Amino acid sequence: MKKYLTLLAAGSFAALLFAETKMNFHLVDGLTDSFGIGTTDTIRFNNGVISVEGPNKQYKVADVESATFTFSQNSSSGDTVFVTYSGGSVVVNNPYDDVSVTSSGANVSVVSKADKKGIVYCLSGSSSDGSFSLTPDRGFILCLDNLNLASASSAPICLNQGADGESYTATVHLRGESSLADGANSSFKGALYSKSKLKISDDTLFTGGILSLKGNTKHALNCSKHIELYSGKLNIAGAAGDGVNADGVEVYGGELAIVGTGGDGIDCSELVRVEGGSVTIVAASDDTKALKSDSLFEFMGGVIDVTASGAGTKAVKAGKLAVVSGGTLTATLSATAPYVNPADATDFGYNAAITSAGDIFISENGKVVVKGSGVAAKALKADGSVSIDGGML
């Protein structure tokens, strides 16, 4: 009976894929075969033969003396700084001479002068009072590998501008389930505070990655640039202020779920765009917005589901233009009373599905579903015009 042994990319072997760049098979005849780890799919052992799928190499076990990995800082795929938290302490494995790391307790500060794009910073472990602060000098990769991190005095993760004042894009990989929470006395306004553009996705080796955030000082996720979600799940589990506060939020896939915010679910100065995936928001606080853009709201595909129960709460508010051309937007409006401005008793506000200080356009395959028993609730409210050229309301 044939026996098969498959080495899958999981656990510590997967971690090696970040840190190493080549696999070397040293043969008994003195020769060495090397190939990039990125090209490797699976290694199988069958009847005394090693088969490496990807490079399509085969070796008799008797012909192989050993196998090693070669580390290369010059690899274009980037190499890894590992940061592993354990209670009140942290262990940092840093292969770079020009990436400086300082730590105190479980608080880590990293400054890169490597002038290298794609350095991977892999954070794992758990601490109830730890943090990670990064000052990059090129675009980088941040891998959150089952990380559980909280801080009383800082944002658990703080991504700074570079020393040159530039902002560098962070590609964030989610592996397993990670969580971040700041304390009520944090000096930052976010559990994840970023001066970098964030591109969030599952790790390429794993699926189903989840990042949960709780903002006890103000916002849960505070970003001065755009946030792009491609896969995985971003879960806002509560915030004293906004769930997400950024220049822009763009959802192309994955899941974004927001509950328990004292402020808006999403508050952006430039753009809220949803092209795929799902966005689910429960907006229970009075006079707030589930999705707010000071400029453009654009819904082109996917699913948006908003429950607006706060008095005067809006599912969508656009500062200039709201466009629905694809996907299904469902707004459940259920406020039992209007919102009354404490400073002006004659100023009333009511639930609404979509409001715009400019125009509202529904077209193509866009679908807007409004339901519930909100007092004097509005489906569409525009200071400009409402145009329905297709789709469904």
Side-chain angles (χ1 to χ4, degrees):
M1 179 178 179
K2 294 183 179 180
K3 295 182 179 180
Y4 294 87
L5 174 62
T6 303
L7 299 184
L8 300 177
S12 60
F13 181 74
L16 274 174
L17 301 189
F18 280 116
E20 312 293 342
T21 58
K22 288 185 179 180
M23 175 177 282
N24 311 298
F25 278 90
H26 304 281
L27 308 179
V28 294
D29 60 6
L31 299 177
T32 299
D33 279 355
S34 301
F35 43 87
I37 287 180
T39 66
T40 305
D41 180 16
T42 305
I43 301 174
R44 300 180 187 275
F45 294 84
N46 177 33
N47 291 338
V49 176
I50 303 172
S51 299
V52 184
E53 298 179 6
N56 295 322
K57 297 276 190 175
Q58 287 191 334
Y59 307 93
K60 292 181 179 179
V61 172
D63 292 338
V64 178
E65 183 178 88
S66 63
T68 63
F69 296 95
T70 300
F71 173 82
S72 172
Q73 290 194 15
N74 297 320
S75 169
S76 61
S77 63
D79 299 308
T80 302
V81 177
F82 287 99
V83 181
T84 305
Y85 293 89
S86 179
S89 63
V90 64
V91 175
V92 180
N93 184 355
N94 174 25
Y96 291 98
D97 293 332
D98 38 16
V99 174
S100 65
V101 178
T102 58
S103 63
S104 175
N107 298 290
V108 177
S109 179
V110 178
V111 178
S112 174
K113 296 181 181 179
D115 192 27
K116 175 178 173 60
K117 185 176 181 180
I119 293 178
V120 180
Y121 300 90
C122 187
L123 280 56
S124 62
S126 177
S127 176
S128 61
D129 191 12
S131 64
F132 175 80
S133 174
L134 172 64
T135 301
D137 63 342
R138 297 288 295 274
F140 59 95
I141 296 170
L142 180 67
C143 176
L144 306 183
D145 184 357
N146 292 286
L147 173 73
N148 294 289
L149 196 59
S151 176
S153 59
S154 177
I157 293 182
C158 181
L159 306 177
N160 302 302
Q161 286 182 325
D164 56 3
E166 293 293 326
S167 176
Y168 296 98
T169 298
T171 300
V172 182
H173 289 309
L174 305 180
R175 174 180 292 185
E177 297 187 19
S178 297
S179 65
L180 303 173
D182 62 354
N185 298 316
S186 170
S187 56
F188 292 90
K189 297 177 181 179
L192 173 51
Y193 178 84
S194 179
K195 294 289 187 180
S196 299
K197 177 180 179 179
L198 301 177
K199 301 173 71 173
I200 303 172
S201 65
D202 281 328
D203 188 279
T204 54
L205 298 175
F206 295 81
T207 58
I210 300 172
L211 173 60
S212 295
L213 303 173
K214 191 168 185 180
N216 294 302
T217 299
K218 194 166 185 180
H219 310 313
L221 175 50
N222 189 358
C223 180
S224 61
K225 299 296 181 180
H226 281 224
I227 300 165
E228 299 175 0
L229 177 63
Y230 292 93
S231 62
K233 182 175 183 179
L234 180 59
N235 180 45
I236 306 300
D242 302 332
V244 179
N245 188 285
D247 278 356
V249 168
E250 302 170 47
V251 180
Y252 299 102
E255 303 175 52
L256 173 57
I258 302 175
V259 297
T261 59
D264 301 324
I266 297 173
D267 186 349
C268 295
S269 57
E270 297 176 356
L271 170 69
V272 173
R273 172 183 290 139
V274 179
E275 288 193 20
S278 67
V279 177
T280 304
I281 302 176
V282 176
S285 297
D286 294 346
D287 193 34
T288 59
K289 294 83 186 173
L291 299 103
K292 176 191 172 188
S293 169
D294 292 340
S295 184
L296 173 64
F297 169 79
E298 189 173 24
F299 183 35
M300 304 167 67
V303 175
I304 297 176
D305 193 334
V306 175
T307 300
S309 60
T313 295
K314 313 297 189 290
V316 173
K317 183 174 182 180
K320 295 181 180 179
L321 175 64
V323 177
V324 179
S325 60
T328 299
L329 187 159
T330 301
T332 302
L333 311 176
S334 59
T336 58
Y339 171 76
V340 182
N341 187 339
D344 183 358
T346 65
D347 181 14
F348 290 83
Y350 301 92
N351 275 168
I354 301 177
T355 67
S356 175
D359 300 331
I360 296 174
F361 289 101
I362 300 175
S363 63
E364 300 180 42
N365 297 314
K367 184 177 181 180
V368 178
V369 179
V370 184
K371 57 185 180 179
S373 56
V375 172
K378 313 290 190 297
L380 307 178
K381 183 178 182 297
D383 292 345
S385 63
V386 174
S387 298
I388 302 175
D389 298 327
M392 182 182 294
L393 173 63

